[in-house]
Amino acid sequence: MPEELWDARWTRSAGSIETWGPVTGKAAIGRLGSRAPHALTQRCSWLVAGLATAFAASLMSTLTVAIDRGSVETSVLSLLFLVAIHLVYGKWRPAPVLSNLGGAVAVLFVSIGMAGIISLVGLRHNAAFIDETLARADQYLGFDTPSMIAWFADHPVCSELLKLAYASSFVQLFGLVVLLSLLRRFDKLWELVFVCSFTIVASTTFSVFWPAIGAFAHYGYAAGILERLPIGAGLYHLPKLEYFRNAALPVVSFANLHGVVTFPSFHCCLALMTVFAATGTRWLFWALVALNVLVLVSALPIGGHYVIDLPAGALLWLAATAAAAMLNKPESARASFGDFQSVSAPASGGRRAFRNEKPRREGRGLRSNPRTSGEPIVETEASHESCTDDDGIRRRQNDAAASEPDQLISAGHSL
């Protein structure tokens, strides 16, 4: 989006749009915000973050946990800093790149943090694990998950490569947030933020009521297989799960939040939303496609997922993306028409009124052409022809009496 916009007027007699000059500063930002296709998506992203905060707060207040106050204070100060950047450079010192970048990171900061709290504190709900159901689903689909994990254990180089790909997911996410901001693709930026916030909050909320311990713990792989896989593969989440599910008074630290979600796979959501957000970036798109294919595969031997977790994550991503498209649709329709949303002209052929329209400047006005059936035209200062017929003379006299002399420059056509 350009920082400088052009003021424009619709000339009905010419059937075209005329530009009068640049609009900068607050006026430009105001008009930019009124037409931004991402405005509704941005508001809904903040809404998702707010709802996640409310749900996390309710869990912490109803379930038995302690809170590390030092980490809370640090997190709040960091969030206030990001929000300040978003507001200062969005309203008082217009800089769209900084404003959108600060706002996007702030929403992700809240959404991901609250999702981590929901996932961990939700374990105190002590709902029954659904691993048996997920294992049966894999068998129904024809997948032998233990045999697949054994194959990865026999190929350690492949497993190490998949570990790097799995760890790159959040790096890709925040790298794209910065890149899309610098490229001024704010519609793609806020679509990515909304989809990420929606999917991570939805998946962690699901895990509160239908948790799973993971395929590695469920199948109980032999020590020989686990030793040939990267350290912590498939089991890295178990200490957190055991601590928050069984400890008498677990401590929630905002500096050490790790989600414990098996079904649906959020890493699958991350891979798909990253690729989708990179569309239109040419070489980067195909590089991310290759990298995220590895991320999807790594969800089994590194993330400890069942196969069924991946299509479930894909469906969740698809639902969030469809919701983002619906949010963008009305804003895009308004943006295509711009600021020139008009009300119906009077039957007498009077001039149309336009939203956000300002007078061109002192001394310009509209007059009717006596030979065009009342069709209005835009008068210019170059028009100095006089009306010689009686009707034209009377009309000029009436207009002069109704308005200040310095606010009218007459125009007409000689017969």
Side-chain angles (χ1 to χ4, degrees):
M1 291 292 181
E3 292 185 12
E4 179 178 279
L5 302 180
W6 283 83
D7 190 13
R9 296 288 181 269
W10 176 265
T11 306
R12 182 177 175 185
S13 60
S16 63
I17 296 174
E18 299 180 4
T19 58
W20 297 108
V23 181
T24 58
K26 293 182 180 179
I29 296 301
R31 294 194 181 191
L32 183 63
S34 65
R35 297 187 296 179
H38 61 269
L40 185 57
T41 308
Q42 180 178 348
R43 290 194 293 271
C44 288
S45 299
W46 282 103
L47 177 61
V48 171
L51 292 175
T53 302
F55 185 46
S58 67
L59 289 177
M60 288 189 291
S61 63
T62 56
L63 300 175
T64 309
V65 294
I67 300 175
D68 180 7
R69 295 186 180 276
S71 65
V72 173
E73 293 173 356
T74 302
S75 299
V76 170
L77 289 176
S78 301
L79 177 61
L80 290 177
F81 174 73
L82 293 171
V83 173
I85 291 177
H86 176 60
L87 294 178
V88 169
Y89 290 103
K91 294 186 177 181
W92 297 291
R93 296 175 61 87
V97 172
L98 289 176
S99 175
N100 283 277
L101 177 59
V105 175
V107 172
L108 291 176
F109 183 84
V110 175
S111 299
I112 295 175
M114 294 303 106
I117 293 175
I118 292 170
S119 173
L120 295 177
V121 179
L123 292 170
R124 307 290 293 172
H125 188 63
N126 287 320
F129 291 122
I130 61 171
D131 291 86
E132 190 63 38
T133 301
L134 298 178
R136 285 199 302 268
D138 277 7
Q139 295 174 1
Y140 178 79
L141 294 175
F143 291 100
D144 185 358
T145 307
S147 297
M148 296 170 65
I149 301 304
W151 184 91
F152 285 111
D154 293 336
H155 298 79
V157 175
C158 179
S159 299
E160 291 293 339
L161 178 62
L162 293 178
K163 179 182 178 180
L164 295 176
Y166 191 80
S168 72
S169 292
F170 280 99
V171 177
Q172 294 181 59
L173 172 66
F174 284 99
L176 264 180
V177 168
V178 175
L179 179 62
L180 292 174
S181 299
L182 293 177
L183 295 177
R184 295 175 177 267
R185 299 186 63 183
F186 303 133
D187 52 343
K188 277 288 187 182
L189 169 66
W190 284 104
E191 182 179 89
L192 174 62
V193 171
F194 174 81
V195 172
C196 181
S197 300
F198 185 96
T199 52
I200 195 169
V201 173
S203 59
T204 52
T205 300
F206 186 92
S207 71
V208 172
F209 306 100
W210 298 279
I213 197 172
F216 276 47
H218 176 72
Y219 287 115
Y221 295 128
I225 292 179
L226 296 178
E227 290 173 356
R228 298 198 301 273
L229 290 171
I231 297 175
L235 300 172
Y236 66 94
H237 64 288
L238 288 183
K240 284 283 186 181
L241 187 147
E242 294 292 337
Y243 175 66
F244 277 91
R245 193 171 176 95
N246 300 319
L249 187 65
V251 178
V252 177
S253 174
F254 285 67
N256 188 23
L257 293 175
H258 296 288
V260 182
V261 178
T262 296
F263 180 87
S265 170
F266 177 66
H267 264 79
C268 178
C269 296
L270 264 179
L272 295 175
M273 74 177 72
T274 301
V275 171
F276 189 76
T279 53
T281 55
R282 299 181 181 179
W283 64 268
L284 179 60
F285 170 76
W286 293 110
L288 291 179
V289 167
L291 180 56
N292 283 285
V293 167
L294 297 179
V295 172
L296 292 175
V297 176
S298 70
L300 300 180
I302 307 300
H305 284 280
Y306 299 90
V307 176
I308 191 62
D309 299 339
L310 299 181
L315 289 176
L316 177 58
W317 166 80
L318 185 61
T321 303
M326 293 177 63
L327 293 175
N328 277 337
K329 187 174 181 180
E331 293 293 326
S332 298
R334 286 195 291 271
S336 65
F337 200 62
D339 284 339
F340 309 105
Q341 295 185 8
S342 62
V343 297
S344 299
S348 60
R351 189 170 184 270
R352 291 179 181 265
F354 300 93
R355 188 184 65 177
N356 296 334
E357 185 176 5
K358 298 180 180 179
R360 286 163 55 183
R361 74 180 181 195
E362 192 85 2
R364 294 180 182 258
L366 287 175
R367 291 296 307 277
S368 296
N369 186 346
R371 303 192 62 175
T372 55
S373 302
E375 288 290 328
I377 61 173
V378 175
E379 297 184 348
T380 62
E381 293 178 340
S383 299
H384 296 291
E385 298 181 53
S386 61
C387 296
T388 58
D389 62 317
D390 293 338
D391 291 339
I393 292 173
R394 285 195 297 270
R395 188 177 295 109
R396 291 184 62 189
Q397 291 174 346
N398 293 337
D399 290 342
S403 60
E404 293 295 332
D406 60 342
Q407 293 179 342
L408 177 65
I409 297 177
S410 60
H413 295 273
S414 300
L415 296 176

